[in-house]
Amino acid sequence: MSMEHIEHEVTALVKQKIHRDLEMTDDLKSAGLDSMKAIDLLLELEEKFEMTIPDEYMINDTFASMSNIVNMIHTLKQNA
């Protein structure tokens, strides 16, 4: 799975949650991603990418930016 494909899908999912365009490195919490939206995003990411995100990735840093989310998904898919 290419990084571009992951970026496209993550960007679309995040935009659905916070209803605005962001750069890949923008802080998602400051942009409006609260804890409830983050949980919803997590579940949607697992469904979209057909994976389970391990507990060790469920930290604030992972969901700090779309770039961090993309990197996590890419790493997990590469190691699957």
Side-chain angles (χ1 to χ4, degrees), residues 66-77:
M66 291 190 293
S67 179
N68 289 7
I69 295 169
V70 169
N71 288 332
M72 172 199 60
I73 292 168
H74 186 259
T75 297
L76 292 172
K77 286 299 208 179

Side-chain angles (χ1 to χ4, degrees), residues 44-58:
E44 289 185 19
L45 290 168
E46 289 183 328
E47 182 178 335
K48 173 66 74 178
F49 294 103
E50 298 177 343
M51 60 189 288
T52 299
I53 297 172
D55 290 345
E56 60 264 24
Y57 286 94
M58 294 185 202

Side-chain angles (χ1 to χ4, degrees), residues 8 18 23 26 34 52 59 61:
H8 175 76
I18 59 173
E23 297 296 321
D26 287 350
D34 61 23
T52 299
I59 57 174
D61 285 348

Side-chain angles (χ1 to χ4, degrees), residues 20-35:
R20 58 187 269 207
D21 292 324
L22 296 171
E23 297 296 321
M24 291 300 293
T25 57
D26 287 350
D27 181 86
L28 294 179
K29 186 175 182 181
S30 296
L33 188 72
D34 61 23
S35 59

